[in-house]
């Protein structure tokens, strides 16, 4: 198996199989739901060959892989003995803020179907393109079959979402599918087309013709094909009802009586209450988003186009998915996602400029696959591999995306399907009946201008170019740098021991870096060198600093002391502060921490040790603050 070793390392460093509630993947990321994120060795995972970076967002631990994520995902399942049934969330409860739980729910429901949704959308787009070009007619068998393929998922969307939503909410997936199938049952659709018995709420926004009743109660029939919100709410309600029946129905008949009772309760209630209310809510949501858009399409384009890549980084773009799909289902078009289309092309404009200007062979080699991926709308390799680490190119790419979004807003562009990304996304803007119109030129102009603006600004403004490894430098330079060194001094008073003696495997194995450890006798931590506080945990138990010479140093006070939540710790600096060697950073109560049952051993490691020829450790023994303990050979 090609990715077996990578899968093993990822599983080991997320805390093992036993720390995983669920795992699934999107286009570029493995999305873990971990029982305890503190057990994950993020620094280690980020350094693995084949991993771009790690993102923690929306209650998920996201390992960004790139284009090979489906293969890595399969290897993770195989190596870990994890069932693919966990894809989507399972029974785990989302933690964190309400917003995080919402993002987690949306991603869990929609991610499993996004690939097929994009594929079928592209087929519908190409069918519309073929008609516009005069290659086929809408009466031909070729068109009808292509359209059937493209429309199949969207028409029966409630069935697919019934599956994914019920899985996400921890219920029986087949009950979810049955609820979705009932919503699109053809006979009820035929009843809806007939003459109504009478009308409710006449003359109001909620005016509804009544075609049938259930036990004498009027049923407000809606068109649920392609709908999103009703089935998600119905699945959530169904999962709760199912769990209730499981508690009271005897095991001997539970297999069939639980679905029997659940469907008899949930489906009628969905038609009577959940469906109509959800549909009205969806119509209001669609009207509201379009109202905001029409206030100023250009301003909306600047905002969404400029910040879209930022939303992608933090996983916040999931919040737009239900809005977009709801617009497509209720209005037949969506202007929101269209505004972001130029952002990916702006991103590769920045990558192209970096490749053209950099002298680093490493950056050039990273740029080629990142550029190719970006052409097809997958920008994570470009963001995490090139533009974000270089900072300025990423900011400029956001400016380019904003310019492209403004142009798209100016042309009032709509997307009519949720299809492909990148160059495969152009069919999204072909009108199903009118074909290619003037707004398509707005898309083309936005993409070209966004790319060119980003390329020129990145090339002219520039960036801090990376230097290649020592092996690529001239021999004369290597001889000079071999004699350079940096010294790190003891940050606290006590006894030094080797990292191998530390109880935490991540430190003991050297996975987090090379260095030494202290058994402190005095609870005061001082700066081991002059530099900047790069990271300071709110709990005060750990900090990272970048020395003036470039060493990245992690000091972790005690083992598992994060669980004290800051108790017994007092910080004297804040993140971003410049400090001098010997300056007091943190105070902690040694005896009280030990009394709580925690190991007070404090490792100090150089996390970027691979940038050095060697990390030389002084002999273990009693040490005072300010004594020489580590030598970094450059």
């Amino acid at each position: 198996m090609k990715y077996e070793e990578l899968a093993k390392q990822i599983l080991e460093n997320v805390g093992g199989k036993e720390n995983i509630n669920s795992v699934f993947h999107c286009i570029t990321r493995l999305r873990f739901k971990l029982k305890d994120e503190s057990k994950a060795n993020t620094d280690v995972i980020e350094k693995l060959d084949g991993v771009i970076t790690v993102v923690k967002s929306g209650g998920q631990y996201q390992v960004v892989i790139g284009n090979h994520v489906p293969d890595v995902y399969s290897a993770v399942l195989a190596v870990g003995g994890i069932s693919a049934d966990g894809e989507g969330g399972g029974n785990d409860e989302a933690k964190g803020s309400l917003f995080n739980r919402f993002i987690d729910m949306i991603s869990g429901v929609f991610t499993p179907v996004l690939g097929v949704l994009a594929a079928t959308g592209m087929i519908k787009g190409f069918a519309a393109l073929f008609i516009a070009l005069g290659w086929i007619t809408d009466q031909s068998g070729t068109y009808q079959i292509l359209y059937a393929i493209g429309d199949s998922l969207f028409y029966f969307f409630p069935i697919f979402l019934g599956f994914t939503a019920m899985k996400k909410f921890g219920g029986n997936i087949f009950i979810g599918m049955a609820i979705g199938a009932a919503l699109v049952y053809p006979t009820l659709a035929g009843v809806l087309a007939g003459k109504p018995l009478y009308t409710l709420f006449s003359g109001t926004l909620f005016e509804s013709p009544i075609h049938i009743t259930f036990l004498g109660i009027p049923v407000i029939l809606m068109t649920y094909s392609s709908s999103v919100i009703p089935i998600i709410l119905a699945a959530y309600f169904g999962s709760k009802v199912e769990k209730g029946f499981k508690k009271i129905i005897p095991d001997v008949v539970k297999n069939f009586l639980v679905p029997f009772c659940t469907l008899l309760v949930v489906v009628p209630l969905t038609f009577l209450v959940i469906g109509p209310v959800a549909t009205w809510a969806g119509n209001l949501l669609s009207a509201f988003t379009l109202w905001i858009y029409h206030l100023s399409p250009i301003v909306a384009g600047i905002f969404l186009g400029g910040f879209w890549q930022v939303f992608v980084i933090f996983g916040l773009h999931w919040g737009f998915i239900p809005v977009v799909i709801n617009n497509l289902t209720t209005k037949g078009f969506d202007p929101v996602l269209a505004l972001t289309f130029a952002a990916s092309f702006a991103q590769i404009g920045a990558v192209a400029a970096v490749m053209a200007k950099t002298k680093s062979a490493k950056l050039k080699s990273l740029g080629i696959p990142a550029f190719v991926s970006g052409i097809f709308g997958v920008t994570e390799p470009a963001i995490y591999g090139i533009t974000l680490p270089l900072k300025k190119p990423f900011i400029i790419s956001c400016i380019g995306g904003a310019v492209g979004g403004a142009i798209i807003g100016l042309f009032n562009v709509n997307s009519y399907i949720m299809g492909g990304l990148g160059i495969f996304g152009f069919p999204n803007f072909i009108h199903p009946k009118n074909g290619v119109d003037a707004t398509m030129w707005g898309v083309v102009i936005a993409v070209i201008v966004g790319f060119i603006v980003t390329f020129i600004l990145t090339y002219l403004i520039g960036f801090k170019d990376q230097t290649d490894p020592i092996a690529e430098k001239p021999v004369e330079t290597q001889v000079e740098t071999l004699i350079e060194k940096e010294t790190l001094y003891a940050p606290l008073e006590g006894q030094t021991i080797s990292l191998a003696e530390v109880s935490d495997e991540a430190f003991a194995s050297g996975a987090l870096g090379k260095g030494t450890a202290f058994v402190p006798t005095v609870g005061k931590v001082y700066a081991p060198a002059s530099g900047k506080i790069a990271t300071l945990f709110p709990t005060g138990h750990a900090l990272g600093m970048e020395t003036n010479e470039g060493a990245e140093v992690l000091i972790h006070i005690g083992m598992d002391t994060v669980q004290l939540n800051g108790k017994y710790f007092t910080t004297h600096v804040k993140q971003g502060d410049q400090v001098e060697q010997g300056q007091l950073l943190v105070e902690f109560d040694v005896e009280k921490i030990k009394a709580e049952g925690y190991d007070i051993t404090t490792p100090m490691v150089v996390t970027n040790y691979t940038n050095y020829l060697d990390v030389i450790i002084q002999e273990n023994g009693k040490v005072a603050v300010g004594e020489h303990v580590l030598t970094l050979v450059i």
Side-chain angles (χ1 to χ4, degrees):
M1 193 186 306
K2 185 176 180 181
Y3 296 99
E4 182 178 1
E5 185 57 35
L6 176 60
K8 286 180 180 177
Q9 292 175 321
I10 291 174
L11 283 172
E12 178 183 346
N13 286 289
V14 296
K17 177 185 175 182
E18 60 277 4
N19 194 38
I20 299 173
N21 272 325
S22 64
V23 57
F24 58 104
H25 74 87
C26 57
I27 297 176
T28 58
R29 310 180 187 199
L30 290 174
R31 294 175 176 266
F32 290 93
K33 288 295 297 299
L34 301 180
K35 296 174 183 176
D36 183 357
E37 279 194 5
S38 67
K39 293 182 179 179
N41 299 319
T42 302
D43 290 342
V44 177
I45 296 175
E46 287 180 329
K47 291 180 173 66
L48 293 177
D49 186 19
V51 172
I52 297 174
T53 190
V54 172
V55 177
K56 301 174 186 178
S57 179
Q60 297 176 353
Y61 189 86
Q62 305 170 17
V63 181
V64 184
I65 301 293
N67 299 334
H68 304 299
V69 68
D71 298 324
V72 178
Y73 171 72
S74 298
V76 167
L77 296 186
V79 171
I82 301 171
S83 170
D85 291 341
E87 182 180 339
N91 296 314
D92 56 297
E93 293 292 331
K95 299 179 180 179
S97 67
L98 182 63
F99 179 75
N100 275 351
R101 294 198 296 270
F102 171 75
I103 294 297
D104 173 70
M105 184 272 290
I106 292 299
S107 62
V109 170
F110 286 102
T111 296
V113 297
L114 280 183
V116 181
L117 180 62
T120 53
M122 287 169 61
I123 293 172
K124 286 180 69 175
F126 281 121
L129 176 63
F130 297 157
I131 289 180
L133 295 174
W135 294 352
I136 57 176
T137 68
D138 59 3
Q139 302 300 316
S140 68
T142 301
Y143 172 79
Q144 292 177 31
I145 291 176
L146 286 176
Y147 195 84
I149 299 170
D151 201 41
S152 58
L153 175 70
F154 223 57
Y155 186 87
F156 296 106
F157 215 15
I159 300 178
F160 290 88
L161 292 184
F163 178 97
T164 60
M166 192 61 94
K167 178 185 285 187
K168 176 61 187 173
F169 299 135
N172 185 323
I173 57 177
F174 296 106
I175 292 178
M177 295 176 70
I179 298 171
L183 291 178
V184 295
Y185 192 64
T187 301
L188 291 179
V191 171
L192 184 61
K195 185 178 179 180
L197 301 174
Y198 55 91
T199 302
L200 286 178
F201 314 125
S202 298
T204 70
L205 177 65
F206 305 107
E207 179 175 322
S208 303
I210 301 301
H211 294 81
I212 60 173
T213 62
F214 179 76
L215 299 178
I217 305 172
V219 177
I220 302 173
L221 283 180
M222 303 282 190
T223 301
Y224 293 112
S225 293
S226 306
S227 63
V228 175
I229 300 176
I231 183 58
I232 294 177
L233 292 179
Y236 177 78
F237 179 68
S239 68
K240 301 301 182 184
V241 171
E242 181 194 6
K243 290 174 184 176
F245 280 126
K246 280 183 176 179
K247 293 178 181 178
I248 61 176
I249 293 177
D251 290 342
V252 68
V253 291
K254 188 176 289 184
N255 190 46
F256 65 90
L257 271 189
V258 169
F260 173 82
C261 295
T262 302
L263 289 172
L264 279 181
V265 171
V266 176
V267 174
L269 275 176
T270 299
F271 279 111
L272 290 168
V273 181
I274 297 174
V277 171
T279 301
W280 289 331
N283 289 338
L284 289 173
L285 176 64
S286 180
F288 179 70
T289 57
L290 294 177
W291 175 75
I292 293 177
Y293 169 79
H294 288 302
L295 284 178
S296 177
I298 296 176
V299 173
I302 292 172
F303 176 76
L304 279 179
F307 285 97
W308 188 250
Q309 298 294 336
V310 179
F311 295 155
V312 169
I313 289 174
F314 292 102
L316 302 182
H317 60 302
W318 286 107
F320 292 88
I321 298 300
V323 175
V324 171
I325 295 178
N326 186 69
N327 284 338
L328 291 174
T329 57
T330 58
K331 303 295 182 183
F333 62 89
D334 170 67
V336 176
L337 205 59
L339 298 173
T340 70
F341 188 70
S344 63
F345 293 94
Q347 191 67 224
I348 62 174
V351 172
V354 169
M355 287 194 296
K357 192 166 187 176
T358 184
K359 296 179 180 179
S360 167
K362 179 182 178 182
L363 269 182
K364 288 181 184 292
S365 65
L366 286 173
I368 295 173
F371 185 87
V372 172
S373 296
I375 289 175
F376 300 109
V378 180
T379 55
E380 277 87 347
I383 293 173
Y384 295 117
I386 297 178
T387 62
L388 196 58
L390 295 176
K391 299 181 180 64
K392 287 182 182 178
F394 179 78
I395 296 172
I396 295 170
S397 73
C398 292
I399 295 173
V403 172
I407 295 172
I408 290 173
L410 177 66
F411 277 80
N412 292 305
V413 176
N414 293 317
S415 58
Y416 299 96
I417 57 173
M418 194 169 177
L421 302 172
I423 59 172
F424 289 128
F426 284 101
N428 300 354
F429 307 102
I430 300 174
H431 195 286
K433 294 182 179 179
N434 301 333
V436 179
D437 55 21
T439 62
M440 177 61 82
W441 290 109
V443 178
V444 174
I445 293 171
V447 165
I448 294 174
V449 172
F451 179 92
I452 292 175
V453 166
T454 308
F455 181 92
I456 292 175
L457 288 178
T458 303
Y459 195 88
L460 293 180
I461 294 176
F463 48 90
K464 186 178 180 181
D465 203 3
Q466 292 184 357
T467 55
D468 288 335
I470 292 174
E472 299 181 13
K473 296 180 181 178
V475 173
E476 295 80 11
T477 305
Q478 292 184 38
V479 172
E480 266 188 14
T481 57
L482 283 175
I483 62 173
E484 294 183 9
K485 64 182 181 179
E486 179 179 0
T487 301
L488 296 183
Y489 300 93
L492 40 72
E493 183 177 326
Q495 185 82 15
T496 60
I497 61 173
S498 69
L499 284 181
E501 298 177 66
V502 176
S503 60
D504 186 283
E505 181 61 28
F507 285 106
S509 65
L512 292 176
K514 289 186 177 182
T516 188
F518 303 84
V519 180
T521 54
V522 178
K524 292 184 178 182
V525 175
Y526 299 85
S530 297
K532 177 182 177 181
I533 302 299
T535 306
L536 179 62
F537 282 75
T539 55
H541 78 286
L543 62 89
M545 67 175 293
E546 183 176 332
T547 71
N548 291 339
E549 302 299 325
E552 295 173 6
V553 182
L554 169 65
I555 301 175
H556 194 288
I557 305 169
M559 299 292 106
D560 298 322
T561 47
V562 64
Q563 298 179 37
L564 289 171
N565 201 28
K567 190 177 179 182
Y568 309 131
F569 290 88
T570 302
T571 57
H572 294 276
V573 291
K574 60 182 183 298
Q575 190 165 307
D577 282 357
Q578 288 288 337
V579 298
E580 297 298 322
Q581 189 267 316
Q583 181 176 335
L584 180 63
L585 306 179
V586 179
E587 285 188 81
F588 57 100
D589 195 314
V590 174
E591 297 307 320
K592 288 184 179 179
I593 294 174
K594 289 166 67 174
E596 293 269 6
Y598 291 93
D599 180 356
I600 202 64
T601 302
T602 300
M604 180 177 77
V605 296
V606 179
T607 57
N608 63 336
Y609 66 91
T610 55
N611 293 351
Y612 299 90
L613 294 178
D614 199 3
V615 176
I616 301 173
I617 303 164
Q618 302 302 310
E619 291 185 5
N620 295 326
K622 189 175 181 179
V623 68
V625 173
E627 288 188 18
H628 175 198
V629 289
L630 294 178
T631 302
L632 312 182
V633 182
I634 304 173

